[in-house]
Amino acid sequence: MSYTFSRRDFMKYSAVAAVAVAGSSMFTGCGSFSNPNRPFGTYNKEADCKLTFSGKSGGFLGIGGTQDYLVLNKGGSYTSSSGTLNLEFTHYPISEGTGITAPHYQLKYVTDDGNHYVTSADGSLTSTGGDGLEINKEAHAKVTVTIPTNVKADVEKAKAVYIQYFPRHNALGKDNDTYGDVYATWDITSLFKPTT
């Protein structure tokens, strides 16, 4: 009996293995199978929600390298009376040029008439984090969103509410410009729903 593989068999089984490994992320943590440049997770305030851009640094062809990660830490809260959302993040970058200042985050909420955002542009969103994160070292940020009074009711009744993180900001050196094709999203709708 021969144990040789044809090139076609090798490619077929390699593809199956790659899909199996990628698909396994659907069953762990809060993440779901998605575009590696746009990881997505559903947050539960009782547990950390860890995502990754699937980037690796070091090792041989990425094998044995260091994996990046982005964590929305457990314990997030929203206080309706003040319209204040408090979240804590842990970031572990593996490439230069990332940051966790306020412009790297935005609150996105979805209503019947489309997507809307609360950003740092008017001071509604603040962060304790900095820019120029050191690679292969954890960085922490506390993000506070004070939802403007004129949209507070819309956010609280929204179909969905998300917090988004853009690792590299100011692609063109402007505060309102990001590398918009790479970002992480956490569904935080549960923080805005009253517990029963």
Side-chain angles (χ1 to χ4, degrees):
M1 176 180 272
S2 172
Y3 289 99
T4 60
F5 274 89
S6 68
R7 185 171 188 267
R8 182 175 301 204
D9 286 339
F10 175 78
M11 296 302 286
K12 179 170 59 173
Y13 290 114
S14 295
V16 169
V19 169
V21 169
S24 67
S25 68
M26 293 178 5
F27 305 107
T28 61
C30 67
S32 63
F33 185 67
S34 62
N35 179 337
N37 288 333
R38 297 179 187 165
F40 179 89
T42 300
Y43 181 65
N44 169 351
K45 69 179 181 176
E46 304 301 324
D48 291 345
C49 187
K50 184 177 183 179
L51 301 178
T52 179
F53 288 116
S54 299
K56 283 195 174 184
S57 174
F60 176 71
L61 299 178
I63 298 169
T66 306
Q67 179 87 44
D68 74 290
Y69 56 84
L70 322 135
V71 181
L72 176 50
N73 300 323
K74 65 182 177 182
S77 66
Y78 174 68
T79 306
S80 180
S81 59
S82 62
T84 305
L85 173 68
N86 289 298
L87 302 169
E88 293 189 19
F89 291 87
T90 301
H91 296 280
Y92 186 85
I94 59 164
S95 62
E96 301 283 349
T98 61
I100 50 177
T101 57
H104 289 270
Y105 300 92
Q106 70 181 10
L107 184 79
K108 173 182 175 182
Y109 61 100
V110 182
T111 64
D112 288 333
D113 61 344
N115 298 333
H116 307 276
Y117 302 90
V118 177
T119 68
S120 63
D122 63 357
S124 296
L125 187 153
T126 61
S127 171
T128 61
D131 274 322
L133 298 185
E134 189 176 333
I135 62 171
N136 299 322
K137 184 176 179 183
E138 278 192 354
H140 302 275
K142 292 181 181 179
V143 173
T144 302
V145 184
T146 306
I147 298 172
T149 307
N150 61 327
V151 298
K152 183 172 168 284
D154 291 337
V155 173
E156 291 178 351
K157 294 186 299 184
K159 294 178 178 181
V161 183
Y162 307 99
I163 191 75
Q164 296 181 303
Y165 167 68
F166 298 80
R168 287 188 173 85
H169 189 70
N170 295 344
L172 300 176
K174 299 177 183 176
D175 278 348
N176 64 351
D177 183 60
T178 63
Y179 288 91
D181 60 338
V182 178
Y183 55 87
T185 302
W186 292 267
D187 183 335
I188 59 170
T189 309
S190 61
L191 292 176
F192 294 85
K193 304 299 179 195
T195 55
T196 53

